[in-house]
């Protein structure tokens, strides 16, 4: 019996069309298997708020190592996992590629570009791919060097549930069931905070009203693998509550995927050991004996900075590699270099446990020296320089009209619910920031990720009704750890220097972690050290980089990247507490330079005003094909934006440009006085300024554009020419005002309604035909003059 069952499962793994349906019933805690030619293995995960997550495998893309489809609501994401058969030669890292694309076809739309097809990845797609990568990468074995690719294909999107969370769970399912070595599964949930209550996997509308948007990826034993989130100054206790709730919900996903893996998963392929692990013991001992003491001296010398420490380590590396290679010429130098790097990392980490001191002499909770400066150059709307140790960031703020807001593409707007961004943070990391020579080109994925994190941190402090579009540019001039959090600090000061009415200052700090496990088993944590405000080398040698930003009140952004397959909740809580303490200290230092937004305006600041234009003057303001507005922009730099039919917003880059543009607009409208408000149905005195064949031209007030009083509105009687009534130029008459024509915008005036009815009255009733009646009607059915006068 077991032979046939094993044979049947092997046939399933060979991607035959016959598949199995797997259903887990929580009530009886059993797996029920049913055979069907059209079904596929699937699990259903129920969350505490009643929402369901479906994961199915084995139906699509059978040439891949494994494929999984994750569904929630009407949103479905397919993830394929494919790995090459052999590792790449000479590669000392994990070559993992994650491709995530938001397809217009998934939401029933057509791309609105020239080619009418998906082009390069958008910023949202790159950030989502990084989210998936950071969730699954820590669980690959250290010696796994085979090129692996995950492709996330959005099958359907209902604009209710975000597909990025589904992609993480589908990637976990695909890797778990494939033969690719991976220490999963993991699960991921999105958490919201609405009215003090935690919402599991909130909808798009719920997120718009939520104070928190947090993604938690975790594995077995509630070990957190990745955190990514933003919040509207969320309190620390609420953030901790959300993380705890997220790990509990993730446990259900991991449990179901683990059952699915044990039943239908393929056997994992063996990992080819690296040449470093096969190195003879005498070579390892030679590298250790020649390099250990020298490295310990370098890492314990607090006088070293980034450049001198790196240079000293490089000199030791070159000397050790040359000497060992001369003694063992059969071993390649790159293998000896890898062994030296491993020794270097081991010594650096052990010193933290042995001495309780860091390589620059600080205690674990100490901050580096911080220096701040604002208002560096007069032409800039706002500027700041933030120096923390050897990390230096220069931020500038540019204010522009609302027309400069960034318009999002259709699919991104459909998922996020935001059509345009009026606050943008652009992060730049040139090669000279680390003393290197490199190529400066398009924005990289790392720069996009760091800029997006800093933007999340600052956005909650900006007002919703700010009349300008804000572009914050961050240029990293020096980098030795946590340049993204330095961007948050410098960006907050630059915004206040630009007079942007932020609710409160914002600061950020990076928290590191060094762990020690029992017998190198990553499931049993023996000891750890939490490092505040980490250096670049501590990030490289350590196990975690948790970036936390917020105000004095609460958190606005968090991002945790791990290099180990999960850390306990206790370590996460302690790290957040360390970040809170450091954040308060940084805000105190920043307040000595600038405490609140600048009140006194700069000469270079832009200004905006609202204009009210009469409908009949719109054409004069805009001009044919908008030529007047284009000329206004070229001469003064001012732009005019229509709010509605009569209201416009005037934006100018300075007060001088505003005064000049208002003078030009007044000349265009040819009006020096305020136009009086006319009451509908009001009677006004009008002055005749011109007599025409069709009527008279009148004005109601000085400098008013003449309005036509048509012959049909001059008198109750039919008037062929105004002269028949004895009207003359300069004469004043009374007219009644009936508003403006909705099409032409011209005034509707009438003199006729003020005149007594002395004309001929028409009778719409037919005359009586009874005998003896005298017909006194004219052929045109009109009464005689005597009858008319009697009626009137």
């Amino acid at each position: 019996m077991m032979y046939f069952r094993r044979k049947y499962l092997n046939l399933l793994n060979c991607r035959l069309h016959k598949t199995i349906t797997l259903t887990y019933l929580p009530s009886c805690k059993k797996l029920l298997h049913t055979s069907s030619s059209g079904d596929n293995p699937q699990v259903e995960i129920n969350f505490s708020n009643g929402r369901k997550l479906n994961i199915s495998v084995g139906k699509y893309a059978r040439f891949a190592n494994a494929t999984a489809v994750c569904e929630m609501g009407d949103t479905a994401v397919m993830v394929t996992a494919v790995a090459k058969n052999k590792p790449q030669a000479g590669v000392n890292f994990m070559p993992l590629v994650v491709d995530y694309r938001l397809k217009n076809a998934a939401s029933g739309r057509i791309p609105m570009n020239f080619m009418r097809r998906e082009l390069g990845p958008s910023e949202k797609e790159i950030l989502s791919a990084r989210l998936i990568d950071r969730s699954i990468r820590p669980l690959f074995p250290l010696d796994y060097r085979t090129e692996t690719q995950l492709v996330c294909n959005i099958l359907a999107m209902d604009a209710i549930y975000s597909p990025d969370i589904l992609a993480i769970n589908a990637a976990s399912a695909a890797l778990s069931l494939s033969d690719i070595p991976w220490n999963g599964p993991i699960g991921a949930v999105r958490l919201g905070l609405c009215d003090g209550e935690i919402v599991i996997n909130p909808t798009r509308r719920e997120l718009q009203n939520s104070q928190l948007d947090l993604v938690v990826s975790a594995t077995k034993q509630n070990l957190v693998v990745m955190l990514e989130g933003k919040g509207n100054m969320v309190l620390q206790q609420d953030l901790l509550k959300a993380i705890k709730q997220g790990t509990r919900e993730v446990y259900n996903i991991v449990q179901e995927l683990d059952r699915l893996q044990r039943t239908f998963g393929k056997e994992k392929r063996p990992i080819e050991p690296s040449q470093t692990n096969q190195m003879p013991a005498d070579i390892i001992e030679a590298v250790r004996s020649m390099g250990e003491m020298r490295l310990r001296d370098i890492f314990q010398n607090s006088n070293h900075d980034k450049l001198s420490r790196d240079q000293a380590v490089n000199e030791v590396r070159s000397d050790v590699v040359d000497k060992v290679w001369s003694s063992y010429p059969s071993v390649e130098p790159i293998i000896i270099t890898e062994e030296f790097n491993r020794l270097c990392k081991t010594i650096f980490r052990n010193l933290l446990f042995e001495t309780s001191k860091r390589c620059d002499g600080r205690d674990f909770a100490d901050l580096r020296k911080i220096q701040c400066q604002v208002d560096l150059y007069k032409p800039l709307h706002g500027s700041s320089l933030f120096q923390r140790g050897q990390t230096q960031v220069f931020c500038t703020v540019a204010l522009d009209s609302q027309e400069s807001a960034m318009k999002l593409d259709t699919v991104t707007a459909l998922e996020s619910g935001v059509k345009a961004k009026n606050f943008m943070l652009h992060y730049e990391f040139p090669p000279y920031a680390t003393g290197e020579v490199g190529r400066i080109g398009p924005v990289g994925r790392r720069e996009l990720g760091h800029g997006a994190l800093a933007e999340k941190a600052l956005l909650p402090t900006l007002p919703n009704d700010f009349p300008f579009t804000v572009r914050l540019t961050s240029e990293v001039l020096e980098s030795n750890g946590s340049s993204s959090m330095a961007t948050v600090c410098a960006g907050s000061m630059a915004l206040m220097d630009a007079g942007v009415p932020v609710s409160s200052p914002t600061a950020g700090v990076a928290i590191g972690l060094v762990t020690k496990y029992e017998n190198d088993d990553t499931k049993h944590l023996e000891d750890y050290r939490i490092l505040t405000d980490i250096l670049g080398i501590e990030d490289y040698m350590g196990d975690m980089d948790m970036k936390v930003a917020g105000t004095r009140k609460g958190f606005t952004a968090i991002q945790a990247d791990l290099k180990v397959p999960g850390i306990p909740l206790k370590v996460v809580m302690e790290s957040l507490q360390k970040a809170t303490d450091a954040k308060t200290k940084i805000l105190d230092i920043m307040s000595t330079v600038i405490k609140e937004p600048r009140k006194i305006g700069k000469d270079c600041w832009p200004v905006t005003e609202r204009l009210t234009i009469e409908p009949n003057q719109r054409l004069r303001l805009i001009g044919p094909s908008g030529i007047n507005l284009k000329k206004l922009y070229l001469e003064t730099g001012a732009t005019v934006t229509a709010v509605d039919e009569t209201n416009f917003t005037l934006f100018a880059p300075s007060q001088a440009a505003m005064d000049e543009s208002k003078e030009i607009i007044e000349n265009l409208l040819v009006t020096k006085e305020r136009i009086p408000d006319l009451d509908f149905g009001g009677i006004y005195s009008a002055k005749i300024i011109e007599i025409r064949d069709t009527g008279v031209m009148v004005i109601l007030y000085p400098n008013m554009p003449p309005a036509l009083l048509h012959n049909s509105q001059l008198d109750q009687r039919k008037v062929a020419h105004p002269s028949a009534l004895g009207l003359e130029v300069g004469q004043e008459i009374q007219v009644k005002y009936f508003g403006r024509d909705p099409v032409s915008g011209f005034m509707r005036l009438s003199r006729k309604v003020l005149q007594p009815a002395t004309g001929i009255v028409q009778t719409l009733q037919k005359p009586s035909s009874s005998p003896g009646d005298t017909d006194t009607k004219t052929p045109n059915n009109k009464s005689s003059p005597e009858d008319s006068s009697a009626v009137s």
Side-chain angles (χ1 to χ4, degrees):
M1 180 67 182
M2 293 298 297
Y3 168 78
F4 289 104
R5 183 177 182 273
R6 191 181 303 110
K7 184 175 181 181
Y8 184 77
L9 292 177
N10 290 336
L11 291 176
L12 173 68
N13 292 334
C14 293
R15 310 178 185 92
L16 292 179
H17 289 286
K18 277 203 169 188
T19 55
I20 297 177
T21 297
L22 179 147
T23 305
Y24 173 61
L25 300 179
S27 58
C28 59
K29 303 291 184 181
K30 292 183 180 179
L31 295 175
L32 303 180
H33 305 266
T34 58
S35 177
S36 175
S37 60
D39 296 334
N40 54 290
Q42 60 183 356
V43 293
E44 182 180 276
I45 297 98
N46 297 316
F47 297 106
S48 59
N49 59 351
R51 289 170 182 169
K52 299 179 180 180
L53 180 73
N54 295 315
I55 301 178
S56 59
V57 296
K59 182 177 181 181
Y60 301 117
R62 295 188 175 95
F63 286 155
N65 291 76
T67 304
V69 178
C70 187
E71 301 179 38
M72 178 173 281
D74 291 330
T75 299
V77 180
M78 181 185 73
V79 177
T80 58
V82 179
K84 290 186 177 180
N85 295 326
K86 294 183 179 181
Q88 287 182 280
V91 175
N92 58 355
F93 62 93
M94 165 56 188
L96 174 66
V97 177
V98 178
D99 289 318
Y100 177 93
R101 300 302 300 271
L102 288 172
K103 296 188 175 180
N104 287 264
S107 57
R109 297 176 181 267
I110 298 176
M112 296 307 295
N113 52 58
F114 179 76
M115 299 295 294
R116 294 298 188 270
R117 62 185 303 157
E118 282 79 7
L119 302 178
S122 64
E123 180 178 345
K124 172 63 178 177
E125 292 169 331
I126 293 175
L127 295 177
S128 298
R130 284 172 53 88
L131 188 71
I132 301 167
D133 185 296
R134 290 167 26 230
S135 298
I136 64 176
R137 186 181 288 271
L139 280 84
F140 282 96
L142 294 178
D143 294 332
Y144 183 68
R145 298 290 185 267
T146 305
E147 186 176 355
T148 305
Q149 183 183 28
L150 295 179
V151 178
C152 306
N153 188 357
I154 313 300
L155 300 180
M157 188 167 64
D158 59 2
I160 298 178
Y161 296 104
S162 180
D164 52 2
I165 297 299
L166 307 185
I168 298 176
N169 292 303
S172 174
L175 289 172
S176 298
L177 271 70
S178 70
D179 61 342
I180 301 174
W182 192 62
N183 300 321
I186 66 165
V189 294
R190 172 171 266 112
L191 303 161
L193 182 62
C194 299
D195 299 327
E197 297 294 330
I198 303 298
V199 181
I200 308 300
N201 289 327
T203 63
R204 178 175 58 85
R205 288 193 174 183
E206 289 174 340
L207 276 179
Q208 292 176 355
N209 300 322
S210 174
Q211 288 185 298
L212 179 67
D213 181 3
L214 177 67
V215 177
V216 177
S217 298
T219 182
K220 301 176 182 178
Q221 295 87 33
N222 292 336
L223 298 179
V224 177
V225 178
M226 193 276 304
L227 294 174
E228 173 85 26
K230 60 181 179 179
N232 187 10
M233 288 169 279
V234 179
L235 300 179
Q236 182 177 353
Q237 58 266 27
D238 291 333
L239 180 62
L240 299 180
K241 178 182 176 182
I243 295 176
K244 291 180 181 178
Q245 180 69 19
T247 54
R248 287 196 294 266
E249 299 292 339
V250 164
Y251 176 77
N252 298 328
I253 303 176
V254 174
Q255 190 178 28
E256 296 303 318
L257 291 181
D258 189 55
R259 288 192 178 97
L260 191 64
Q261 179 183 6
R262 291 199 305 266
T263 307
F264 301 103
K266 303 177 184 177
E267 182 180 357
K268 300 297 183 181
R269 67 176 72 170
I271 302 176
E272 297 184 10
S274 63
Q275 296 181 359
T276 306
N277 294 335
Q278 299 175 348
M279 186 179 297
D282 52 349
I283 299 180
I284 297 176
E285 179 62 24
V287 173
R288 188 194 64 79
S289 61
M290 285 188 286
E292 182 176 7
M293 296 306 299
R294 298 161 70 180
L295 288 175
R296 293 178 72 92
D297 292 340
I298 293 173
F299 293 145
Q300 287 180 302
N301 186 358
S302 59
N303 294 325
H304 279 303
D305 60 5
K306 173 183 172 61
L307 296 180
S308 62
R309 185 183 297 109
D310 291 347
Q311 184 178 358
V313 172
N314 290 334
E315 290 176 357
V316 176
R317 180 186 292 109
S318 300
D319 182 62
V320 171
V321 172
D322 291 342
K323 291 181 179 179
V324 173
W325 188 36
S326 62
S327 302
Y328 300 93
S330 59
V331 181
E332 296 182 6
I334 189 173
I335 305 301
I336 304 175
T337 302
E338 289 185 14
E339 177 58 31
F340 178 86
N341 293 338
R342 180 180 297 184
L343 174 67
C344 184
K345 183 176 182 179
T346 301
I347 294 174
F348 183 87
R349 295 165 63 92
N350 289 340
L351 284 174
L352 291 173
F353 291 97
E354 295 172 6
T355 64
S356 296
K357 286 286 184 180
R358 299 157 76 170
C359 61
D360 58 354
R362 287 184 294 153
D363 292 333
F364 294 144
D366 290 346
L367 294 171
R368 290 174 286 175
K369 184 179 179 181
I370 296 177
Q371 295 177 336
C372 308
Q373 189 177 357
V374 297
D375 196 15
L376 279 78
Y377 301 99
K378 289 185 178 180
L380 302 177
H381 296 162
S383 60
S384 68
L385 183 68
F386 184 84
Q387 181 92 39
R388 178 161 51 191
Q390 287 185 298
T391 297
Q392 186 184 72
V393 174
F394 175 63
C395 280
T396 60
V397 172
L399 305 177
D400 210 329
S401 65
Q402 294 185 353
E403 293 296 315
S404 302
M406 180 181 177
K407 307 299 188 296
L408 300 180
D409 60 274
T410 306
V411 180
T412 303
L414 183 66
E415 181 191 0
S416 62
V418 179
K419 296 181 179 179
K421 291 172 57 177
N422 60 355
F423 173 64
M424 299 163 284
L425 192 150
H426 294 158
Y427 173 93
E428 300 175 3
F429 194 94
Y432 61 77
T434 54
E436 299 175 354
V437 177
R439 184 176 181 181
I440 300 178
V443 181
R445 301 169 75 96
R446 177 184 177 276
E447 291 176 300
L448 280 177
H450 283 218
L453 176 63
E455 183 178 303
K456 292 177 183 177
L458 295 173
L459 182 61
T461 64
L462 268 68
N464 296 326
D465 56 349
F466 193 57
F468 301 107
T469 297
V470 182
R471 180 179 185 249
L472 176 61
T473 303
S474 170
E475 302 178 46
V476 181
L477 306 182
E478 299 174 7
S479 177
N480 188 16
S482 188
S483 59
S484 61
M485 293 297 96
T487 296
V488 175
C489 301
S492 180
M493 292 191 297
L495 290 171
M496 290 188 289
D497 182 56
V500 179
V502 297
S503 58
S504 56
T506 309
V509 66
I511 305 297
L513 177 70
V514 178
T515 58
K516 182 185 292 186
Y517 291 91
E518 298 178 2
N519 301 322
D520 294 332
D521 184 5
T522 56
K523 295 181 180 179
H524 301 88
L525 182 62
E526 180 182 355
D527 199 1
Y528 62 92
R529 297 290 185 272
I530 297 176
L531 311 177
T532 301
D533 186 19
I534 58 176
L535 300 170
I537 190 172
E538 292 172 338
D539 183 11
Y540 177 74
M541 302 287 191
D543 298 325
M544 181 183 73
D545 180 13
M546 177 185 287
K547 303 179 179 68
V548 181
T551 64
R552 294 184 186 274
K553 181 180 178 181
F555 295 91
T556 57
I558 181 174
Q559 184 183 94
D561 298 334
L562 298 177
K563 299 176 185 176
V564 292
I567 58 174
L569 282 173
K570 175 186 176 183
V571 180
V572 176
M573 305 308 171
E574 292 183 16
S575 301
L576 289 175
Q577 183 60 49
K578 297 287 185 181
T580 302
D581 298 339
K583 179 187 62 176
T584 303
K585 296 178 183 178
I586 298 171
L587 288 172
D588 291 338
I589 298 174
M590 292 168 53
S591 64
T592 60
V593 178
I594 183 169
K595 294 182 179 180
E596 58 184 11
R598 186 183 296 274
K599 303 297 183 182
I600 302 176
K602 299 181 181 180
D603 294 336
C604 63
W605 277 2
V607 290
T608 181
E609 290 187 13
R610 173 158 292 199
L611 299 177
T612 300
I613 307 297
E614 291 296 322
N616 64 305
Q617 294 179 320
R618 287 174 60 94
L619 184 58
R620 290 187 178 183
L621 174 65
I622 299 174
S625 301
I627 189 172
N628 290 344
L629 300 185
K630 295 177 183 177
K631 184 178 179 181
L632 181 69
Y633 176 76
L634 293 175
E635 292 181 358
T636 65
T639 58
V640 178
T641 305
V643 178
D644 50 37
E645 292 184 358
T646 59
N647 294 314
F648 294 81
T649 299
L650 177 60
F651 169 86
S654 64
Q655 186 61 48
M658 172 65 74
D659 297 338
E660 183 181 357
S661 61
K662 289 173 66 176
E663 182 179 353
I664 295 176
I665 292 176
E666 288 180 357
N667 293 332
L668 288 175
L669 301 180
V670 196
T671 176
K672 302 297 181 181
E673 299 179 359
R674 180 181 176 274
I675 299 176
D677 295 330
L678 302 180
D679 297 329
F680 188 91
I683 301 175
Y684 297 94
S685 176
K687 183 178 181 180
I688 301 175
I689 62 171
E690 183 183 353
I691 295 180
R692 296 182 178 180
D693 293 339
T694 57
V696 294
M697 303 298 293
V698 298
I699 58 174
L700 305 183
Y701 50 86
N703 297 325
M704 168 188 162
L708 175 64
L709 182 59
H710 197 267
N711 288 337
S712 61
Q713 299 298 326
L714 287 175
D715 198 84
Q716 295 285 353
R717 297 166 294 178
K718 184 176 180 180
V719 178
H721 193 273
S723 60
L725 300 176
L727 300 179
E728 298 177 354
V729 175
Q731 180 180 351
E732 290 190 358
I733 59 176
Q734 288 186 343
V735 296
K736 195 169 186 177
Y737 175 71
F738 290 99
R740 294 184 178 274
D741 186 272
V743 178
S744 64
F746 295 144
M747 285 186 178
R748 294 187 296 187
L749 304 174
S750 177
R751 179 175 176 266
K752 178 177 67 173
V753 295
L754 303 178
Q755 303 298 315
T758 58
I760 300 175
V761 177
Q762 297 184 4
T763 301
L764 300 180
Q765 306 231 350
K766 292 183 179 181
S768 175
S769 58
S770 58
D773 290 344
T774 305
D775 189 2
T776 60
K777 300 295 181 182
T778 62
N780 290 331
N781 241 3
K782 293 182 180 179
S783 304
S784 63
E786 293 79 3
D787 293 336
S788 299
S789 60
V791 173
S792 45

